[in-house]
Amino acid sequence: MAQKTAGGNAAFHNFHNDYAHIADPNERRRLALAEIDKAPFGWYHVRAIVVAGIGFFTDAYDIFAIGLVTTMLGVVYWHDAKKNPGKIPSNADTAIKVATSGGTVIGQIGFGALADIVGRKKMYGLELILIIFATLAQSLSAASPAMSIVGLIIFWRVLMGIGIGGDYPLSSIITSEFATTKWRGAMMGSVFAMQGIGQFAAGIMALIVVSGFKESLLTAKTQAACGGVCGLAVDKMWRVIIGFGAVPGCIALYYRLTIPETPRYTFDVARDVEKAGEDTKAYIQGKHEGHPDEIQRIQALQNAQVNLDTPKASWGDFFGHYSQWKHGKVLLGTAGSWFFLDVAFYGLSLNNTVILTAIGYNGGANVYEIFYKTAVGNIIIVCAGAIPGYWVTVLLVDTIGRKPIQIMGFSLLTIIFCIMGFAYNKLGEHGLLAMYVLAQFFFNFGPNATTFIVPGECFPTRYRSTSHGLSAAAGKVGSIIAQVLIGPLRTRGTPTTANPSPWLNHVMEIYALFMLCGLFTTLLIPETKRKTLEELAGEVPGTPNYDPVTAGHVGRKESQDVYTSSNEVGHDKA
């Protein structure tokens, strides 16, 4: 029996003492996790959302900002180009943007697996350090006779992408494992909604920088003529925009490095019952981590190795678990849905030029107007559809449910892309603008949010991070395909100055097919609303998902008998 610990008052209840008299590690685990699941929403939940959300803020900021920055790079480094002076070549532009996605795939799989192997706490913060370092390195990069600026930017954006990729599974599962069951979807949705704030911040930062260098930018009528003082101003501008992306990460870094290990990981993977109980108490009290009595901790560890139900993680168990269709189909559903979503989500940005023209924010009489209109136009686009969609999801995801929102989103997006494709030439600029805003809204009040939330909930703790990482990586592979293979199809045919993308309508039709496929893969995922993570993992007897093998209830009696017999033999010899 564990001894009681000091501390606790009316404001900060000592949960550890509630379970100190309970010897069974499974019962202590159940009661401790129940405290997290039923805890009232408090400031410690808000803190968890903000600390986790900073990563997605930085992620969205960097990805959105590079769309503005590549235009500036063209002015600085292709000022004297023989073809299209002042504009970055399309191959270089695509390579810089795809580099981040390539690194993200590596980070999602690598950090996802490592978080299950060595723990969430040990990995959380490392990915943010990598993002901060690579972001600052980009802003300080410059071309040389031996190295082009494109090569340097690609190198640092791959490294930054690895950090961004690690943030996907880590922030999702840490938020999920600390969240109260009632508001888990809203908490995870709020973390993901920071992407919209990051996009907005990138537009605002670009607007501030452009306004700050207004006098210098007014000296040139076109991007090709932007040399001297104008070129110097643009060179400073892109560095400030990129470099600012590291600031929020620096603020959040301390909190990430000092976050406690999630009690679920400590219980189920580390199998450290005493530490998990103390960490549960510390989290609810707003402290960094618990500090159990080390002697009791060692005794509890030895007891838990045999008596704790949850199976130990191993490669054999991993493949055995997902080789069963009832578990494998869920991973296929989360990964497939994310893949199909991201193909169209990243491909929709191909319409940005048309949309900016429709709202009167494309081009200008001088370089200042060109950059000013681009920044303001992108802010309008983000505010019109993306940000509202994110926060409607936060409001309704725990009421409507994840699966209905995802099915609704894919269904409506299939219709919207069909309209954009088959009626492209009849819609006109204003009709296309309306479809674009609706698509942005139902991406974010739809599968873009739910594909992030569901993988953080529906897998067992010992493989939750790996499974989320694999699902997210499938999505980024989809985004790479959209940018490298499908996107260039829009210039098929005979491009002209008036119509530079003659095949864009057919590309929209292709995206409609991907949305329809996403609708079918959604049918493979479970509804996770208002269910505990243990119930979703099949560990709770009497629930529809219950699986005695996953729960570790098969063979437990035999292992206990062996443990008891060995102890009796040891005592007899003594």
Side-chain angles (χ1 to χ4, degrees):
M1 183 185 298
Q3 295 180 359
K4 292 192 174 185
T5 59
N9 53 43
F12 300 108
H13 186 70
N14 191 334
F15 291 103
H16 180 266
N17 286 350
D18 291 344
Y19 319 128
H21 64 287
I22 299 173
D24 183 3
N26 297 293
E27 184 65 7
R28 293 184 68 184
R29 171 182 179 270
R30 185 187 69 80
L31 292 171
L33 295 183
E35 290 294 341
I36 294 176
D37 289 335
K38 68 182 183 182
F41 192 82
W43 280 110
Y44 46 90
H45 290 121
V46 175
R47 185 184 63 191
I49 291 170
V50 173
V51 172
I54 288 296
F56 283 94
F57 176 97
T58 305
D59 168 12
Y61 179 95
D62 287 325
I63 292 174
F64 192 79
I66 199 64
L68 306 171
V69 164
T70 50
T71 305
M72 298 176 184
L73 289 175
V75 172
V76 177
Y77 293 98
W78 281 270
H79 176 66
D80 298 322
K82 294 181 180 179
K83 184 179 180 181
N84 294 324
K87 294 184 179 180
I88 187 171
S90 59
N91 289 342
D93 182 53
T94 301
I96 289 173
K97 292 175 180 176
V98 171
T100 310
S101 297
T104 302
V105 172
I106 298 170
Q108 286 164 335
I109 296 174
F111 276 90
L114 287 171
D116 279 337
I117 295 170
V118 303
R120 285 75 158 122
K121 176 181 171 60
K122 291 181 180 178
M123 301 309 299
Y124 208 41
L126 294 182
E127 87 292 353
L128 194 56
I129 292 173
L130 189 55
I131 292 171
I132 293 168
F133 180 75
T135 300
L136 292 175
Q138 284 177 73
S139 67
L140 298 174
S141 296
S144 72
M147 179 66 71
S148 70
I149 189 64
V150 175
L152 281 169
I153 295 291
I154 287 175
F155 175 79
W156 290 119
R157 288 194 74 80
V158 168
L159 286 183
M160 186 187 74
I162 293 173
I164 289 173
D167 203 54
Y168 273 76
L170 283 166
S171 289
S172 172
I173 60 171
I174 285 174
T175 305
S176 172
E177 291 176 0
F178 274 126
T180 173
T181 301
K182 185 178 181 180
W183 302 114
R184 187 175 61 235
M187 286 182 63
M188 297 177 73
S190 297
V191 170
F192 196 65
M194 293 298 285
Q195 283 195 333
I197 307 301
Q199 293 171 355
F200 179 77
I204 291 295
M205 193 63 201
L207 186 60
I208 292 171
V209 170
V210 169
S211 300
F213 288 95
K214 179 178 179 179
E215 297 302 321
S216 297
L217 298 177
L218 287 172
T219 61
K221 298 294 183 183
T222 64
Q223 290 165 264
C226 185
V229 64
C230 177
L232 179 61
V234 174
D235 193 30
K236 293 177 181 178
M237 285 162 54
W238 77 262
R239 296 177 190 278
V240 172
I241 293 171
I242 289 289
F244 182 78
V247 174
C250 292
I251 296 171
L253 184 58
Y254 167 78
Y255 297 98
R256 288 203 172 189
L257 294 174
T258 56
I259 196 171
E261 182 58 85
T262 69
R264 285 183 163 90
Y265 181 87
T266 311
F267 271 123
D268 294 356
V269 183
R271 309 174 84 80
D272 192 340
V273 176
E274 285 290 322
K275 185 69 167 71
E278 287 293 316
D279 283 346
T280 301
K281 178 183 70 173
Y283 170 67
I284 294 178
Q285 292 181 2
K287 298 178 181 178
H288 290 158
E289 62 179 317
H291 300 284
D293 180 272
E294 290 300 321
I295 295 176
Q296 294 176 30
R297 185 180 181 183
I298 293 170
Q299 292 173 344
L301 270 170
Q302 293 173 340
N303 183 31
Q305 290 301 319
V306 174
N307 292 323
L308 198 62
D309 284 344
T310 313
K312 291 183 178 180
S314 67
W315 287 112
D317 180 64
F318 177 85
F319 290 114
H321 180 78
Y322 285 115
S323 64
Q324 301 176 63
W325 174 243
K326 62 182 177 182
H327 301 308
K329 73 174 183 179
V330 178
L331 182 59
L332 178 63
T334 56
S337 299
W338 212 331
F339 171 81
F340 293 126
L341 160 77
D342 271 14
V343 171
F345 183 72
Y346 282 84
L348 185 65
S349 62
L350 297 174
N351 291 290
N352 278 7
T353 302
V354 179
I355 300 305
L356 290 173
T357 302
I359 61 178
Y361 282 92
N362 190 33
N366 51 60
V367 174
Y368 168 74
E369 282 193 15
I370 292 170
F371 287 139
Y372 178 85
K373 286 186 174 182
T374 302
V376 174
N378 278 286
I379 292 171
I380 293 171
I381 288 174
V382 171
C383 293
I387 292 178
Y390 282 118
W391 291 103
V392 171
T393 298
V394 172
L395 290 173
L396 298 178
V397 70
D398 285 311
T399 305
I400 298 175
R402 289 69 153 154
K403 194 170 181 177
I405 289 176
Q406 188 161 313
I407 289 173
M408 174 203 67
F410 273 127
S411 300
L412 291 175
L413 287 165
T414 302
I415 296 169
I416 289 169
F417 276 108
C418 280
I419 294 172
M420 291 176 73
F422 292 103
Y424 189 87
N425 296 318
K426 298 179 181 179
L427 285 173
E429 289 182 346
H430 296 294
L432 191 61
L433 172 62
M435 290 295 103
Y436 181 92
V437 171
L438 285 173
Q440 284 282 16
F441 180 81
F442 286 110
F443 267 127
N444 295 304
F445 177 44
N448 192 37
T450 54
T451 51
F452 170 79
I453 294 171
V454 174
E457 301 177 304
C458 63
F459 300 110
T461 300
R462 62 191 185 277
Y463 303 129
R464 186 170 292 126
S465 181
T466 302
S467 303
H468 193 287
L470 290 171
S471 301
K476 284 301 176 186
V477 170
S479 75
I480 293 171
I481 290 173
Q483 295 173 81
V484 176
L485 299 180
I486 300 177
L489 292 177
R490 72 186 189 278
T491 58
R492 287 192 64 181
T494 309
T496 62
T497 305
N499 185 19
S501 303
W503 230 63
L504 187 56
N505 59 326
H506 299 303
V507 171
M508 295 299 109
E509 294 163 12
I510 293 172
Y511 292 149
L513 177 60
F514 277 95
M515 293 297 92
L516 183 62
C517 292
L519 181 60
F520 289 112
T521 54
T522 300
L523 301 177
L524 299 175
I525 66 173
E527 176 52 63
T528 59
K529 179 185 72 171
R530 301 287 166 87
K531 295 179 181 178
T532 67
L533 298 181
E534 286 64 45
E535 180 182 347
L536 291 166
E539 298 173 8
V540 182
T543 59
N545 294 336
Y546 178 58
D547 181 351
V549 176
T550 299
H553 296 160
V554 174
R556 179 175 176 236
K557 186 177 185 302
E558 290 82 352
S559 65
Q560 286 180 318
D561 291 342
V562 171
Y563 178 71
T564 304
S565 299
S566 64
N567 281 346
E568 289 174 352
V569 170
H571 288 309
D572 290 341
K573 287 181 178 179

mmCIF file of all heavy atoms in Angstrom, residues 34 97 118 154 162 181 185 196 203 228 247 258 268 295 308 322 341 364 378 414 457 461 487 499 533 540 567:
data_model
loop_
_atom_site.group_PDB
_atom_site.id
_atom_site.type_symbol
_atom_site.label_atom_id
_atom_site.label_comp_id
_atom_site.label_asym_id
_atom_site.label_seq_id
_atom_site.Cartn_x
_atom_site.Cartn_y
_atom_site.Cartn_z
ATOM 1 N N ALA A 34 -9.625 8.963 -14.709
ATOM 2 C CA ALA A 34 -10.987 9.479 -14.607
ATOM 3 C C ALA A 34 -10.989 10.918 -14.097
ATOM 4 O O ALA A 34 -11.843 11.729 -14.484
ATOM 5 C CB ALA A 34 -11.821 8.591 -13.689
ATOM 6 N N LYS A 97 8.549 25.885 -51.889
ATOM 7 C CA LYS A 97 7.313 25.596 -51.166
ATOM 8 C C LYS A 97 7.171 24.110 -50.832
ATOM 9 O O LYS A 97 6.688 23.743 -49.762
ATOM 10 C CB LYS A 97 6.114 26.087 -51.984
ATOM 11 C CG LYS A 97 6.062 27.606 -52.095
ATOM 12 C CD LYS A 97 4.943 28.079 -53.011
ATOM 13 C CE LYS A 97 4.932 29.600 -53.104
ATOM 14 N NZ LYS A 97 3.925 30.104 -54.069
ATOM 15 N N VAL A 118 10.258 6.994 -26.561
ATOM 16 C CA VAL A 118 10.981 7.612 -25.440
ATOM 17 C C VAL A 118 10.112 8.535 -24.597
ATOM 18 O O VAL A 118 10.530 8.978 -23.528
ATOM 19 C CB VAL A 118 12.227 8.385 -25.940
ATOM 20 C CG1 VAL A 118 13.147 7.488 -26.721
ATOM 21 C CG2 VAL A 118 11.816 9.592 -26.795
ATOM 22 N N ILE A 154 15.915 26.110 -49.534
ATOM 23 C CA ILE A 154 15.371 24.739 -49.537
ATOM 24 C C ILE A 154 15.955 23.939 -48.384
ATOM 25 O O ILE A 154 15.230 23.232 -47.667
ATOM 26 C CB ILE A 154 15.658 24.042 -50.885
ATOM 27 C CG1 ILE A 154 14.756 24.624 -51.976
ATOM 28 C CG2 ILE A 154 15.447 22.529 -50.774
ATOM 29 C CD1 ILE A 154 15.054 24.096 -53.363
ATOM 30 N N ILE A 162 10.865 19.490 -40.843
ATOM 31 C CA ILE A 162 10.991 18.357 -39.913
ATOM 32 C C ILE A 162 10.464 18.764 -38.536
ATOM 33 O O ILE A 162 9.741 18.004 -37.876
ATOM 34 C CB ILE A 162 12.458 17.889 -39.830
ATOM 35 C CG1 ILE A 162 12.893 17.278 -41.170
ATOM 36 C CG2 ILE A 162 12.642 16.872 -38.697
ATOM 37 C CD1 ILE A 162 14.366 16.942 -41.248
ATOM 38 N N THR A 181 -12.768 14.851 -21.162
ATOM 39 C CA THR A 181 -13.518 14.153 -22.214
ATOM 40 C C THR A 181 -14.589 15.046 -22.839
ATOM 41 O O THR A 181 -14.783 15.044 -24.058
ATOM 42 C CB THR A 181 -14.166 12.882 -21.644
ATOM 43 O OG1 THR A 181 -13.150 12.028 -21.110
ATOM 44 C CG2 THR A 181 -14.943 12.128 -22.716
ATOM 45 N N GLY A 185 -12.600 17.620 -27.982
ATOM 46 C CA GLY A 185 -12.635 18.060 -29.380
ATOM 47 C C GLY A 185 -12.417 19.551 -29.517
ATOM 48 O O GLY A 185 -11.694 20.006 -30.409
ATOM 49 N N GLY A 196 -5.143 29.407 -38.411
ATOM 50 C CA GLY A 196 -5.795 30.579 -38.990
ATOM 51 C C GLY A 196 -5.215 31.869 -38.456
ATOM 52 O O GLY A 196 -5.015 32.835 -39.204
ATOM 53 N N GLY A 203 0.008 37.797 -42.823
ATOM 54 C CA GLY A 203 -0.480 38.891 -43.660
ATOM 55 C C GLY A 203 -0.287 40.245 -43.005
ATOM 56 O O GLY A 203 0.117 41.214 -43.661
ATOM 57 N N GLY A 228 18.510 49.264 -56.607
ATOM 58 C CA GLY A 228 19.009 50.309 -55.727
ATOM 59 C C GLY A 228 18.321 50.318 -54.383
ATOM 60 O O GLY A 228 18.227 49.301 -53.694
ATOM 61 N N VAL A 247 9.648 34.298 -33.287
ATOM 62 C CA VAL A 247 9.352 34.988 -32.020
ATOM 63 C C VAL A 247 8.337 34.239 -31.161
ATOM 64 O O VAL A 247 8.584 33.989 -29.973
ATOM 65 C CB VAL A 247 8.898 36.440 -32.286
ATOM 66 C CG1 VAL A 247 8.451 37.114 -30.992
ATOM 67 C CG2 VAL A 247 10.034 37.230 -32.939
ATOM 68 N N THR A 258 9.212 22.325 -20.089
ATOM 69 C CA THR A 258 8.909 22.030 -18.683
ATOM 70 C C THR A 258 7.547 21.357 -18.501
ATOM 71 O O THR A 258 7.102 21.182 -17.367
ATOM 72 C CB THR A 258 8.936 23.321 -17.844
ATOM 73 O OG1 THR A 258 8.025 24.282 -18.406
ATOM 74 C CG2 THR A 258 10.334 23.913 -17.815
ATOM 75 N N ASP A 268 0.784 3.665 -19.177
ATOM 76 C CA ASP A 268 0.642 2.584 -20.147
ATOM 77 C C ASP A 268 1.945 2.150 -20.805
ATOM 78 O O ASP A 268 2.092 0.982 -21.175
ATOM 79 C CB ASP A 268 -0.343 2.998 -21.245
ATOM 80 C CG ASP A 268 -1.755 3.170 -20.713
ATOM 81 O OD1 ASP A 268 -1.965 2.893 -19.516
ATOM 82 O OD2 ASP A 268 -2.640 3.574 -21.479
ATOM 83 N N ILE A 295 11.183 5.170 -3.169
ATOM 84 C CA ILE A 295 11.084 3.780 -2.723
ATOM 85 C C ILE A 295 9.725 3.207 -3.133
ATOM 86 O O ILE A 295 9.636 2.094 -3.674
ATOM 87 C CB ILE A 295 11.289 3.686 -1.191
ATOM 88 C CG1 ILE A 295 12.716 4.111 -0.841
ATOM 89 C CG2 ILE A 295 11.004 2.268 -0.695
ATOM 90 C CD1 ILE A 295 13.003 4.145 0.654
ATOM 91 N N LEU A 308 -0.115 -4.783 -14.315
ATOM 92 C CA LEU A 308 -0.802 -3.780 -15.117
ATOM 93 C C LEU A 308 -1.322 -4.436 -16.395
ATOM 94 O O LEU A 308 -0.588 -5.128 -17.100
ATOM 95 C CB LEU A 308 0.141 -2.627 -15.461
ATOM 96 C CG LEU A 308 -0.519 -1.323 -15.930
ATOM 97 C CD1 LEU A 308 -1.405 -0.743 -14.824
ATOM 98 C CD2 LEU A 308 0.541 -0.307 -16.322
ATOM 99 N N TYR A 322 -2.448 -3.798 -35.843
ATOM 100 C CA TYR A 322 -3.011 -3.206 -37.059
ATOM 101 C C TYR A 322 -3.248 -4.227 -38.170
ATOM 102 O O TYR A 322 -3.870 -3.894 -39.185
ATOM 103 C CB TYR A 322 -2.127 -2.072 -37.551
ATOM 104 C CG TYR A 322 -2.259 -0.829 -36.706
ATOM 105 C CD1 TYR A 322 -1.190 -0.340 -35.953
ATOM 106 C CD2 TYR A 322 -3.469 -0.158 -36.621
ATOM 107 C CE1 TYR A 322 -1.329 0.793 -35.158
ATOM 108 C CE2 TYR A 322 -3.618 0.968 -35.827
ATOM 109 C CZ TYR A 322 -2.540 1.440 -35.103
ATOM 110 O OH TYR A 322 -2.690 2.555 -34.304
ATOM 111 N N LEU A 341 -7.838 14.865 -48.463
ATOM 112 C CA LEU A 341 -8.101 16.254 -48.093
ATOM 113 C C LEU A 341 -6.992 17.182 -48.568
ATOM 114 O O LEU A 341 -7.242 18.201 -49.214
ATOM 115 C CB LEU A 341 -8.234 16.372 -46.573
ATOM 116 C CG LEU A 341 -8.037 17.789 -46.019
ATOM 117 C CD1 LEU A 341 -9.283 18.622 -46.261
ATOM 118 C CD2 LEU A 341 -7.665 17.778 -44.566
ATOM 119 N N GLY A 364 -0.715 46.681 -59.442
ATOM 120 C CA GLY A 364 -0.628 48.027 -58.874
ATOM 121 C C GLY A 364 0.212 48.936 -59.750
ATOM 122 O O GLY A 364 0.921 48.478 -60.653
ATOM 123 N N ASN A 378 -4.591 38.879 -49.226
ATOM 124 C CA ASN A 378 -4.447 37.592 -48.534
ATOM 125 C C ASN A 378 -5.080 37.633 -47.144
ATOM 126 O O ASN A 378 -5.633 36.629 -46.688
ATOM 127 C CB ASN A 378 -2.968 37.218 -48.440
ATOM 128 C CG ASN A 378 -2.451 36.587 -49.719
ATOM 129 O OD1 ASN A 378 -2.745 35.441 -50.024
ATOM 130 N ND2 ASN A 378 -1.692 37.349 -50.494
ATOM 131 N N THR A 414 -17.105 18.252 -52.395
ATOM 132 C CA THR A 414 -17.248 17.554 -53.674
ATOM 133 C C THR A 414 -18.147 18.364 -54.602
ATOM 134 O O THR A 414 -17.824 18.566 -55.780
ATOM 135 C CB THR A 414 -17.850 16.147 -53.458
ATOM 136 O OG1 THR A 414 -17.017 15.394 -52.574
ATOM 137 C CG2 THR A 414 -17.978 15.410 -54.793
ATOM 138 N N GLU A 457 -7.228 10.674 -30.966
ATOM 139 C CA GLU A 457 -8.160 10.118 -30.001
ATOM 140 C C GLU A 457 -8.371 8.612 -30.133
ATOM 141 O O GLU A 457 -8.568 7.924 -29.128
ATOM 142 C CB GLU A 457 -9.540 10.787 -30.167
ATOM 143 C CG GLU A 457 -9.547 12.291 -29.989
ATOM 144 C CD GLU A 457 -10.913 12.876 -30.246
ATOM 145 O OE1 GLU A 457 -11.459 12.654 -31.352
ATOM 146 O OE2 GLU A 457 -11.452 13.540 -29.350
ATOM 147 N N THR A 461 -2.876 4.268 -26.399
ATOM 148 C CA THR A 461 -1.828 5.190 -25.957
ATOM 149 C C THR A 461 -0.454 4.793 -26.462
ATOM 150 O O THR A 461 0.339 5.639 -26.873
ATOM 151 C CB THR A 461 -1.816 5.274 -24.418
ATOM 152 O OG1 THR A 461 -3.093 5.756 -23.978
ATOM 153 C CG2 THR A 461 -0.733 6.215 -23.923
ATOM 154 N N GLY A 487 -0.869 20.322 -59.796
ATOM 155 C CA GLY A 487 -0.828 21.771 -60.019
ATOM 156 C C GLY A 487 -0.331 22.166 -61.395
ATOM 157 O O GLY A 487 -0.965 22.990 -62.081
ATOM 158 N N ASN A 499 -5.284 34.199 -70.351
ATOM 159 C CA ASN A 499 -5.681 32.941 -69.696
ATOM 160 C C ASN A 499 -4.443 32.073 -69.472
ATOM 161 O O ASN A 499 -4.171 31.159 -70.246
ATOM 162 C CB ASN A 499 -6.716 32.200 -70.550
ATOM 163 C CG ASN A 499 -7.238 30.946 -69.855
ATOM 164 O OD1 ASN A 499 -7.119 30.804 -68.639
ATOM 165 N ND2 ASN A 499 -7.809 30.042 -70.632
ATOM 166 N N LEU A 533 -10.564 8.135 -23.963
ATOM 167 C CA LEU A 533 -9.535 7.557 -24.831
ATOM 168 C C LEU A 533 -9.412 6.057 -24.611
ATOM 169 O O LEU A 533 -9.134 5.299 -25.543
ATOM 170 C CB LEU A 533 -8.187 8.241 -24.576
ATOM 171 C CG LEU A 533 -8.128 9.744 -24.863
ATOM 172 C CD1 LEU A 533 -6.731 10.275 -24.576
ATOM 173 C CD2 LEU A 533 -8.525 10.043 -26.305
ATOM 174 N N VAL A 540 -12.239 -0.723 -22.220
ATOM 175 C CA VAL A 540 -13.263 -0.648 -21.178
ATOM 176 C C VAL A 540 -14.301 -1.752 -21.392
ATOM 177 O O VAL A 540 -15.046 -1.713 -22.376
ATOM 178 C CB VAL A 540 -13.956 0.732 -21.182
ATOM 179 C CG1 VAL A 540 -14.994 0.806 -20.061
ATOM 180 C CG2 VAL A 540 -12.930 1.838 -21.028
ATOM 181 N N ASN A 567 7.264 -15.865 -6.581
ATOM 182 C CA ASN A 567 7.471 -15.211 -5.290
ATOM 183 C C ASN A 567 7.443 -16.226 -4.155
ATOM 184 O O ASN A 567 8.236 -16.165 -3.211
ATOM 185 C CB ASN A 567 6.392 -14.150 -5.045
ATOM 186 C CG ASN A 567 6.673 -12.863 -5.805
ATOM 187 O OD1 ASN A 567 7.781 -12.678 -6.301
ATOM 188 N ND2 ASN A 567 5.676 -12.003 -5.910
#
